[in-house]
Amino acid sequence: MNQDEEVSSLYVVHQGELKLTYHSGNWSDKGKSIESEKTEIINSGGCFGEWVLLGKSSCQVTVEALTDVECWAITKLKFEAAVGNLQDIIQEDLK
């Protein structure tokens, strides 16, 4: 990922540590618009970009590797092909 690249997939950190910097006006990992710059540390087993699977507009975020990092990425299209539409799954689960 390059600096300020648009997040368009779900990323799972297999190993390592990342620093994410969200910029004002973007969507945070919790799906809320943020007022000012926010940073977050993601460790092995953590993830970011899950809002993409929910159909939320993607955002630009700066991702900095603090250690050697290995990430797995899955696009919304690949997720839906394997599992189905996440919104439908959530609605079914609420029944």
Side-chain angles (χ1 to χ4, degrees), residues 21-26 28 32-39:
T21 303
Y22 299 93
H23 305 285
S24 61
N26 284 314
S28 74
K32 298 178 182 174
S33 181
I34 57 175
E35 301 298 321
S36 61
E37 189 172 278
K38 173 189 168 202
T39 60

Side-chain angles (χ1 to χ4, degrees), residues 35-48:
E35 301 298 321
S36 61
E37 189 172 278
K38 173 189 168 202
T39 60
E40 178 178 8
I41 303 297
I42 307 288
N43 295 300
S44 298
C47 65
F48 67 97

Side-chain angles (χ1 to χ4, degrees), residues 56-82:
K56 304 275 186 194
S57 60
S58 58
C59 72
Q60 290 185 340
V61 61
T62 300
V63 179
E64 177 185 352
L66 301 177
T67 64
D68 288 339
V69 174
E70 180 180 344
C71 286
W72 300 324
I74 185 166
T75 65
K76 183 176 183 188
L77 290 175
K78 288 183 180 180
F79 180 87
E80 289 180 349

